[in-house]
Amino acid sequence: RFGFTGHLDFYAPEDLALVRGDPGERRRYLDELAAVRRPRIAGIRADYDKVLKQRTALLKSAAGARFRGDRSVLDTLDVCDGHLAAHGAELMAARIELINLLAPEVEKAYQLLAPASRPASISYRSSVELSGDDGEDREFLEAALLAGLARRRDAELERGMCLVGPHRDDLELRLGDQPAKGFASHGESWSMALALRLAAYELLRTEGSEPVLILDDVFAEL
């Protein structure tokens, strides 16, 4: 096992979910690490989750209101879109900044753990179209989210759920030119999960923190 005292969870078999599990596991990894670096991110995530819950409730009721010709719910939905985009842009910017810092550390850690394997890489997969140069620009991200929400409005009303936003995004893990999920062996999956934790440790250490790293027989699974 390994972990960061007072900050991050220890390394355990459950960490395989970072590679093999649902996107929510990887989003949680990013958001928890981002909040360790900048505690205000926890508040941004809480604000986003609150607006997301409100917007989902509106979507469930708006379909019937639109059928009746009632515009009030749809007008409220427009206002909610603005709040979702504003909070979502801040959260996405924090995640993308973090991934840009983590990427070389993940590549280096994985190469040390599995030198005979394919090179590891990570990237941000968003529910909206992003350009490489504007990924950390909050105004760009907010505009992209608003455009995505407008584009998917009919589909959202039909399904009663929010289809655009950082709650739909993922941390993409790749080995060579293939996604790690579904294509990595058991040992490669363990190495990738460990590389993610080691990268987080190294990032916190280089930024001036003094995390404590604890290892206990993790290589038995590699």
Side-chain angles (χ1 to χ4, degrees):
R1 297 177 177 183
F2 84 92
F4 308 94
T5 59
H7 291 306
L8 300 181
D9 294 337
F10 53 77
Y11 181 78
E14 290 78 11
D15 277 337
L16 271 180
L18 287 174
V19 181
R20 296 182 170 179
D22 294 331
E25 298 289 341
R26 292 178 287 278
R27 289 194 295 267
R28 187 178 303 111
Y29 163 81
L30 286 177
D31 293 345
E32 288 179 353
L33 179 56
V36 168
R37 296 179 65 239
R38 297 179 181 173
R40 63 182 294 268
I41 299 301
I44 292 171
R45 179 57 196 258
D47 289 341
Y48 178 81
D49 287 343
K50 182 179 179 180
V51 174
L52 176 63
K53 184 177 180 179
Q54 293 171 343
R55 189 173 186 275
T56 300
L58 278 172
L59 286 169
K60 292 182 183 299
S61 62
R66 186 172 66 164
F67 179 76
R68 296 190 303 270
D70 181 1
R71 287 286 313 175
S72 62
V73 175
L74 295 179
D75 291 341
T76 304
L77 191 57
D78 289 338
V79 175
C80 199
D81 285 0
H83 293 308
L84 187 88
H87 294 310
E90 286 198 82
L91 183 58
M92 288 174 64
R95 288 176 177 176
I96 293 169
E97 178 193 21
L98 178 58
I99 287 173
N100 289 338
L101 294 171
L102 276 176
E105 298 299 340
V106 171
E107 180 181 0
K108 181 171 63 176
Y110 187 85
Q111 199 278 330
L112 290 171
L113 291 165
S117 181
R118 299 160 288 174
S121 62
I122 63 174
S123 60
Y124 193 68
R125 188 168 66 198
S126 175
S127 58
V128 296
E129 186 174 347
L130 303 177
S131 69
D133 295 333
D134 296 316
E136 294 181 39
D137 186 292
R138 287 167 177 77
E139 290 186 3
F140 171 84
L141 292 172
E142 186 172 348
L145 284 169
L146 285 171
L149 290 168
R151 187 168 53 250
R152 301 299 303 276
R153 171 67 66 86
D154 287 342
E156 290 185 325
L157 289 170
E158 182 179 341
R159 297 177 61 179
M161 61 189 300
C162 187
L163 302 175
V164 176
H167 66 288
R168 307 282 295 188
D169 296 351
D170 197 0
L171 169 63
E172 189 171 62
L173 313 175
R174 300 188 71 84
L175 292 176
D177 59 357
Q178 292 181 315
K181 183 177 180 179
F183 290 92
S185 68
H186 183 73
E188 288 174 330
S189 296
W190 268 98
S191 295
M192 177 64 86
L194 182 54
L196 288 170
R197 295 300 191 188
L198 288 170
Y201 165 82
E202 188 62 25
L203 178 60
L204 292 176
R205 189 184 66 82
T206 57
E207 290 184 338
S209 299
E210 295 184 1
V212 176
L213 179 64
I214 303 171
L215 294 170
D216 181 13
D217 200 28
V218 296
F219 298 102
E221 295 285 347
L222 300 181

